[in-house]
Amino acid sequence: MPPISPHPQPAARSFSLAIAGSGGAGVMTAGNLLLDAAARAGLYGLMVRTSGPQIRGGEAAALLRLGARPVATLDDHFDVLLAIDWQNLNRFGDEIPIGPGSLLIGDADAGEAPEVFVRQGAQLHALPLKKTAKAAGGGWVNMVALGLAGTVAGLPVAALEDALRASWKRSAEALASNLAALQQGVALALALPDPRPEPLVPVALPAGHARWLLSGNEAAGCGALRGGVRFVAAYPITPATELLEWMAPALTRMGGSLLQAEDELASVNMIIGASYGGVPSLTATAGPGLALMTEGIGLAVAAEVPIVVVDVMRGGPSTGIPAKSEQSDLSFAVDGLHGDAPRLVLAPNGIDDCLATAEWAVQLAEALQSPALLLSDQFMGQSRAVIDQPTQAAVPAQRLVAAADTPGYQRYADTPSGVSPMAIPGTPGIAYTADGLEHTERGIPSSQARDHVKQLDKRLRKLMLHDYGPRWADIEGEGELAVITFGSTTAAVREAVERAAAAGTRLRLVSIRLLAPLKPEVLDQALAGVRQVLVVEQNHGGQLLRYLRSRCDLPGRPAGLHRPGPLPLRPGDLARAFIDWAATHPRQPAATGVPA
Amino acid sequence: MNDMTEAVKLTAADFKSDYKPIWCPGCGDYTVLGSLTKALSIIGRPPHEVAVVSGIGCSSRIPAYTTCYGFHGVHGRALAAGTGLKAARPDLTVVVTGGDGDGYSIGGNHFMHACRRNLDLTYIVMDNHVYGMTKGQASPTTEPDWDNKLSPGGTGIRSFHPLVIALAAGANFVARAFSGDPNGTAEIVAQAIRHPGFSFVEILSPCVTFRPEQRGWKDLVHPAPVAETNDPARAARRIMTDDGFNIGVLYAGNRTPYARTPAASATLAQIEQEFAL
Amino acid sequence: MNRPRKPGAPLAPRSLEDLMGQALTIEREAVARYEELADMMETHNNLEVAALFRKMAGYEQLHVEQILADMGWAADVVVPRHSGIWSSPESPEVVPIEEMHYLMHPWHALQLALSAEQRAEAFFAEMAGTAATEAVRAAAEEMRQEEAEHVALVREWLAKVPQPEGDWSVDPDPPRYID
């Protein structure tokens, strides 16, 4: 078997760096500036944060990957690990894999590098980082790190300096000494002996090629605004709080409002109330909060009130691993309500997609008068990336609203589409009482079999008949073997598929964006000609695999590659797994008489 | 009371575990941990007969820092879990702990009903007027004009007064302490644990990271100008003019605590007799 | 919080045993607090200051042992605690936890230790000044002298450590989520 080329196309090459340290070292700031500088050099990049359990001053690392193409996943190894100090960094041993070609740079005065890093065979360099900072007029050591790491990665000094200047909020003197520290870091980098990992080359972007730098949480908040959300109820929970905090001032500026609730029971009921009043509404939470909201979501289903609930998934179950990512709320999202309660479940598959899919979630919720759960996760939510500026204009949602004085108005009329016009409070002649109790078409509570079946059919039909178009999934490539996934794993899976292809294994990729409702015939179409599927996801129980098998007839013997958080799935591991899996299903000669 | 005789057998160190707290240096919760372990050593029951139940937040990390049986539950539900534990195991000493966000916001409903139920529990809230663990949102005890990201310019909402709620809802012991006086706090906590029924102690415990201005609390707190009372009406009058910084025991009442489950009085066979034809 | 002295409360220990009991409490609490601060600094990766606090704990522990030896007391002896005599809520020689900062430098730690030793010295000076008997006065004076030596020691130590820059407490990174 030919070796798997880690970088099949030179243009697709990327550079991965980790900057680590503790207690006031400012590694996150350095990482953010590095990402900014990369953007100024015409590159794309992704930054992921990781830290110890202390709220301040503990060990932390900024993990970056930069490249000429959009970056949405970390690589298998880091080209550089630069540690301002080594305290407790062994905690990050699994998260920062390095290899023989990597540079392991530490401060000469900060002691020994932890064994977990040294034994991986990287080139060890001990440099006087703190001393250099001090000598540069008392600049900060993270600026030396910025200059050093940025230069090794191939970023021009001008880009690094511009990033620093643009972010500076303190005195001009302090700026000068930190620029000096940065320049000293550059000098240290230039003085490094070979071998060194090959640096990136800045890109001259075409004029007018606009790009954004933001986190998945911010993107989702922005998408919600685009979709027309104007009321948000908020209860803080890691890792969703930043989405709510971003929306607070933005909503107000757009004439909307945000209310901090006493708990998640309150926040879900608040947005139901606001939406009942005609205002598109949203809340954001994580697993434990979603668990509290289930009764409310069921109410929104039964009363046909549109709401959007963003679930920024984290390690579960229960309190779990709050600051780490996982895709383990899927089963709960698609099935976790009492009664027969169909609802919309969407999952963005990248930081850029958080914006578009949040907007889509609002549009669908409003159009179908249904709750929509948006499954984001900590990886996308709290990581920052350079993305192409969205080109499409915002398309605010449209709700089917009943006209005043409609004769014989029935809120829950059994229409062919299943969507019945909604009366908005303040509209004369058509007042009604929304109800979680089962009801007649007029909305009067009913325990009659006829009414129950009618309403159950209506609420299911409205979701199943809607034409969701091609956005329901990203379907890429040809082949008899398909890999199916959703959410943040998509980027790593996509890269793994590329690498496998370069090694001679052809795979189709299906990344599902609309998880519920799931239309078996649509999935069948996506898998036309596919003999075997492998379902890839970041959870312990293979939730997507189980879900798909329970709803559809998947071809062949469906297999699952599922691993829980907190570590991300890496392209190299996936590529090897795909190739091994494909080898167990060798190509069959074409069968005769089988329709395409 | 200034003179205290130390417990003969146990010291505070017996109640402190080996886990080092991850609280920020300067956090008031360190001294609260000291006060709690000191109070438990005064009470004198061995650690394995004491349970510390908490919710979610910085202060809710406290159970693992003690050598008692601990339960680190979900956000806001510590009182419910503690109530269940005490109802099923009245022989244990149950101390429920948490912060102001956990206890008064999402836990508000349980707070009210725990006071009303008056089970023999002790509830300690480390109040720092902020949601610390989620990085600085307003809590129910936050001042209305405190600027923060989730409520820019402040919530504009009057802050919650937990001592008023506790007294009105039926708690049998209501007190306020300050983390800056660990020994005074230990005395109050010990008294609270000894007192029958639901004992509520609010401990002002500054957050050095999100509310650094709370270092000024040590100049604002003062001993309550009057002694404790067992008359709810007098306590009520007093609490309505409380400035939030009176330190001491407000109310140590005689409200009947929730009755303990009586011992078994019938066999299964006797019970099943009901169905016999 | 300043707890006012109750009118008529004794300002001075009634006996030698009383005085030495107080001294023992003061030293024991100082040891416990320094150990706690050392743990706190270690957890937050401030190893230099942690080591300093650990060292201070060691010195105070020597003082504890000396008192026990002089009085012929067992290591786990229980002594009453007259907290009303002190003018601050905690005993004179403990460093208040609120003074901690995760980025503090050895200079800061030594300043806090200096204040603690000075408070202890002042306390024993007052005990000596208000002592009822010569035996108590002499013992209090001896304690005061030992604290004075500690003060001098800490001052020496301070002279050897660099003063922190003005921006020592600046952390470019924001606080983090953990729960």
Side-chain angles (χ1 to χ4, degrees):
Chain A
M1 191 180 80
I4 304 161
S5 162
H7 304 298
Q9 302 144 43
R13 194 169 53 81
S14 67
F15 197 99
S16 295
L17 358 73
I19 305 181
S22 66
V27 298
M28 291 308 162
T29 302
N32 278 320
L33 290 176
L34 202 58
L35 188 58
D36 190 0
R40 287 168 195 272
L43 299 165
Y44 289 86
L46 171 72
M47 173 170 145
V48 177
R49 312 179 314 208
T50 185
S51 66
Q54 309 88 336
I55 294 163
R56 297 225 78 172
E59 54 278 10
L63 312 178
L64 292 104
R65 189 179 185 197
L66 312 173
R69 290 196 317 186
V71 180
T73 173
L74 294 175
D75 205 339
D76 304 322
H77 297 103
F78 286 83
D79 297 296
V80 175
L81 167 53
L82 195 170
I84 291 174
D85 63 77
W86 293 112
Q87 303 209 61
N88 282 316
L89 290 195
N90 50 321
R91 166 194 302 283
F92 300 135
D94 288 333
E95 282 181 88
I96 310 180
I98 53 178
S102 314
L103 297 183
L104 181 58
I105 304 174
D107 195 325
D109 301 317
E112 299 278 306
E115 209 261 328
V116 67
F117 294 120
V118 173
R119 69 163 181 254
Q120 296 184 50
Q123 312 291 320
L124 198 47
H125 297 280
L127 300 175
L129 300 173
K130 271 217 174 74
K131 283 206 178 97
T132 303
K134 230 173 159 186
W140 289 336
V141 65
N142 67 339
M143 293 298 119
V144 174
L146 175 62
L148 175 48
T151 304
V152 174
L155 303 183
V157 176
L160 294 165
E161 290 178 339
D162 286 347
L164 176 53
R165 278 199 197 90
S167 75
W168 199 253
K169 290 191 173 63
R170 298 162 66 78
S171 74
E173 284 167 349
L175 175 59
S177 52
N178 280 300
L179 279 168
L182 193 157
Q183 283 145 11
Q184 290 302 313
V186 172
L188 285 175
L190 295 174
L192 280 172
D194 285 324
R196 285 184 287 175
E198 198 174 331
L200 294 167
V201 176
V203 172
L205 291 173
H209 184 145
R211 302 186 303 164
W212 284 1
L213 173 52
L214 78 180
S215 70
N217 275 343
E218 290 165 339
C222 187
L225 271 187
R226 290 179 148 225
V229 165
R230 293 296 180 265
F231 177 78
V232 170
Y235 190 77
I237 183 169
T238 305
T241 309
E242 290 130 340
L243 191 161
L244 300 163
E245 286 181 337
W246 182 86
M247 289 199 85
L251 260 179
T252 313
R253 291 168 70 188
M254 306 248 350
S257 64
L258 179 145
L259 194 54
Q260 183 175 338
E262 55 271 30
D263 59 28
E264 289 90 346
L265 301 177
S267 43
V268 69
N269 282 284
M270 282 180 183
I271 62 174
I272 291 172
S275 181
Y276 166 74
V279 178
S281 303
L282 169 147
T283 188
T285 188
L290 184 66
L292 288 175
M293 292 183 186
T294 49
E295 185 194 32
I297 296 169
L299 173 60
V301 170
E304 301 198 52
V305 177
I307 55 170
V308 175
V309 177
V310 184
D311 176 18
V312 187
M313 296 187 287
R314 67 193 218 181
S318 189
T319 313
I321 309 178
K324 289 297 187 193
S325 204
E326 203 169 66
Q327 294 182 315
S328 49
D329 294 348
L330 173 64
S331 300
F332 191 54
V334 298
D335 275 331
L337 300 184
H338 68 273
D340 291 302
R343 86 304 304 248
L344 296 157
V345 180
L346 296 96
N349 59 24
I351 289 174
D352 54 349
D353 199 36
C354 285
L355 187 129
T357 303
E359 186 181 353
W360 196 32
V362 179
Q363 290 161 352
L364 289 176
E366 290 287 314
L368 302 174
Q369 299 173 15
S370 163
L373 306 190
L374 187 73
L375 296 183
S376 176
D377 63 26
Q378 184 274 334
F379 183 86
M380 293 185 291
Q382 293 191 320
S383 300
R384 303 180 74 229
V386 178
I387 64 169
D388 288 324
Q389 178 169 320
T391 45
Q392 279 130 334
V395 178
Q398 299 275 336
R399 190 186 292 194
L400 184 62
V401 161
D405 299 313
T406 306
Y409 172 69
Q410 296 187 308
R411 167 66 185 102
Y412 301 111
D414 190 16
T415 63
S417 68
V419 180
S420 49
M422 186 175 181
I424 305 300
T427 314
I430 52 172
Y432 76 105
T433 295
D435 215 324
L437 280 171
E438 193 56 283
H439 40 257
T440 64
E441 289 179 84
R442 265 193 65 205
I444 307 301
S446 164
S447 60
Q448 297 294 305
R450 181 179 48 241
D451 292 321
H452 191 38
V453 170
K454 183 173 290 191
Q455 293 297 318
L456 286 168
D457 283 345
K458 172 193 197 289
R459 293 191 291 255
L460 181 61
R461 183 168 71 248
K462 70 180 179 180
L463 298 186
M464 297 305 280
L465 286 188
H466 186 79
D467 179 7
Y468 298 95
R471 293 175 76 177
W472 76 276
D474 289 343
I475 305 163
E476 298 159 13
E478 296 302 317
E480 301 181 324
L481 305 176
V483 173
I484 307 178
T485 191
F486 76 104
S488 64
T489 50
T490 301
V493 169
R494 190 175 273 135
E495 193 165 326
V497 166
E498 277 179 22
R499 297 191 198 180
T505 298
R506 225 162 47 115
L507 298 163
R508 185 180 309 183
L509 165 63
V510 178
S511 171
I512 304 177
R513 187 177 283 108
L514 182 72
L515 289 160
L518 193 64
K519 299 190 188 182
E521 67 279 10
V522 172
L523 184 61
D524 284 344
Q525 249 184 340
L527 296 175
V530 170
R531 287 187 298 113
Q532 303 287 348
V533 299
L534 176 67
V535 180
V536 179
E537 53 192 313
Q538 193 190 21
N539 58 63
H540 186 255
Q543 297 183 10
L544 180 60
L545 174 63
R546 287 201 317 247
Y547 174 57
L548 294 177
R549 291 185 71 182
S550 74
R551 299 299 205 270
C552 317
D553 290 325
L554 296 173
R557 294 176 60 84
L561 192 167
H562 38 87
R563 207 181 67 207
L567 300 175
L569 277 65
R570 295 195 189 272
D573 294 338
L574 291 174
R576 263 181 295 277
F578 293 169
I579 290 169
D580 290 345
W581 170 69
T584 66
H585 298 292
R587 285 196 83 182
Q588 310 280 358
T592 56
V594 174
Chain B
M1 283 199 303
N2 292 328
D3 285 3
M4 263 184 349
T5 308
E6 250 86 306
V8 176
K9 289 193 202 109
L10 296 162
T11 67
D14 294 318
F15 287 89
K16 248 184 132 178
S17 78
D18 293 332
Y19 290 114
K20 308 300 175 214
I22 47 89
W23 298 318
C24 304
C27 175
D29 292 354
Y30 282 100
T31 45
V32 173
L33 174 61
S35 300
L36 177 61
T37 51
K38 182 81 180 276
L40 290 173
S41 72
I42 293 168
I43 298 299
R45 297 192 75 181
H48 66 268
E49 290 178 9
V50 179
V52 181
V53 179
S54 70
I56 298 285
C58 290
S59 45
S60 285
R61 291 291 186 115
I62 209 170
Y65 305 145
T66 72
T67 53
C68 307
Y69 274 90
F71 190 80
H72 186 202
V74 293
H75 197 32
R77 316 293 168 200
L79 276 172
T83 295
L85 178 60
K86 182 69 182 183
R89 291 291 308 278
D91 57 300
L92 297 172
T93 292
V94 178
V95 178
V96 181
T97 62
D100 44 304
D102 180 84
Y104 305 147
S105 192
I106 186 168
N109 188 40
H110 303 302
F111 177 48
M112 204 172 56
H113 292 284
C115 293
R116 187 173 69 93
R117 197 177 286 118
N118 205 19
L119 217 69
D120 187 19
L121 292 173
T122 303
Y123 184 38
I124 296 172
V125 173
M126 283 156 261
D127 192 346
N128 57 11
H129 295 8
V130 77
Y131 274 83
M133 189 145 273
T134 44
K135 295 184 11 174
Q137 295 77 40
S139 86
T141 47
T142 302
E143 305 77 359
D145 57 354
W146 183 66
D147 183 44
N148 64 91
K149 284 194 202 157
L150 202 52
S151 318
T155 60
I157 301 174
R158 181 202 305 281
S159 39
F160 190 78
H161 200 317
L163 276 72
V164 172
I165 304 292
L167 184 67
N172 208 27
F173 181 97
V174 179
R176 184 187 287 120
F178 176 50
S179 68
D181 177 10
N183 287 295
T185 298
E187 287 175 30
I188 291 176
V189 170
Q191 193 184 346
I193 295 175
R194 278 204 200 95
H195 200 82
F198 188 78
S199 301
F200 169 58
V201 183
E202 151 146 308
I203 306 182
L204 297 174
S205 176
C207 175
V208 66
T209 292
F210 294 106
R211 304 298 311 263
E213 68 273 22
Q214 289 172 349
R215 279 196 61 170
W217 274 0
K218 63 180 184 291
D219 300 316
L220 292 175
V221 296
H222 51 91
V226 289
E228 71 195 45
T229 177
N230 62 6
D231 175 6
R234 178 173 298 154
R237 280 195 296 279
R238 213 176 278 162
I239 198 66
M240 292 313 291
T241 55
D242 173 60
D243 65 354
F245 294 103
N246 276 312
I247 304 299
V249 178
L250 169 76
Y251 172 72
N254 304 317
R255 290 166 163 165
T256 317
Y258 189 83
R260 285 170 85 134
T261 315
S265 59
T267 64
L268 195 54
Q270 286 167 325
I271 289 164
E272 289 175 352
Q273 264 308 107
E274 169 197 327
F275 303 123
L277 291 163
Chain C
M1 176 177 108
N2 280 330
R3 200 186 307 192
R5 292 200 176 123
K6 281 193 187 157
L11 293 178
R14 285 161 282 233
S15 68
L16 182 65
E17 219 178 54
D18 209 9
L19 170 73
M20 296 311 284
Q22 282 199 57
L24 181 64
T25 300
I26 289 170
E27 298 304 329
R28 274 173 167 171
E29 292 189 359
V31 173
R33 179 53 55 85
Y34 278 128
E35 292 283 9
E36 196 176 0
L37 298 182
D39 288 341
M40 204 187 288
M41 288 293 110
E42 260 173 33
T43 304
H44 288 82
N45 298 331
N46 192 339
L47 298 185
E48 214 181 339
V49 173
L52 197 154
F53 283 134
R54 207 66 80 187
K55 210 164 172 181
M56 291 301 301
Y59 288 140
E60 303 301 348
Q61 182 59 26
L62 291 177
H63 219 170
V64 166
E65 279 156 22
Q66 193 187 335
I67 295 171
L68 292 175
D70 286 349
M71 298 302 290
W73 284 340
D76 59 355
V77 66
V78 172
V79 291
R81 188 176 188 283
H82 301 295
S83 56
I85 293 179
W86 306 324
S87 60
S88 68
E90 298 196 87
S91 58
E93 210 166 341
V94 301
V95 171
I97 287 192
E98 68 178 20
E99 300 291 345
M100 290 293 106
H101 191 291
Y102 68 103
L103 292 176
M104 67 195 302
H105 288 225
W107 186 86
H108 297 113
L110 288 170
Q111 288 289 353
L112 293 169
L114 178 64
S115 302
E117 299 301 327
Q118 286 171 329
R119 281 194 298 274
E121 187 189 352
F123 172 75
F124 286 115
E126 182 163 1
M127 291 298 101
T130 56
T133 72
E134 174 55 28
V136 175
R137 193 209 61 77
E141 173 58 27
E142 198 179 321
M143 302 293 308
R144 188 206 63 75
Q145 268 172 9
E146 280 172 25
E147 298 300 346
E149 277 163 30
H150 273 192
V151 167
L153 189 72
V154 175
R155 279 202 204 280
E156 263 179 48
W157 205 347
L158 253 174
K160 295 188 198 141
V161 301
Q163 264 208 355
E165 305 287 311
D167 62 350
W168 67 270
S169 65
V170 173
D171 186 346
D173 288 351
R176 298 189 297 239
Y177 289 120
I178 60 167
D179 249 0

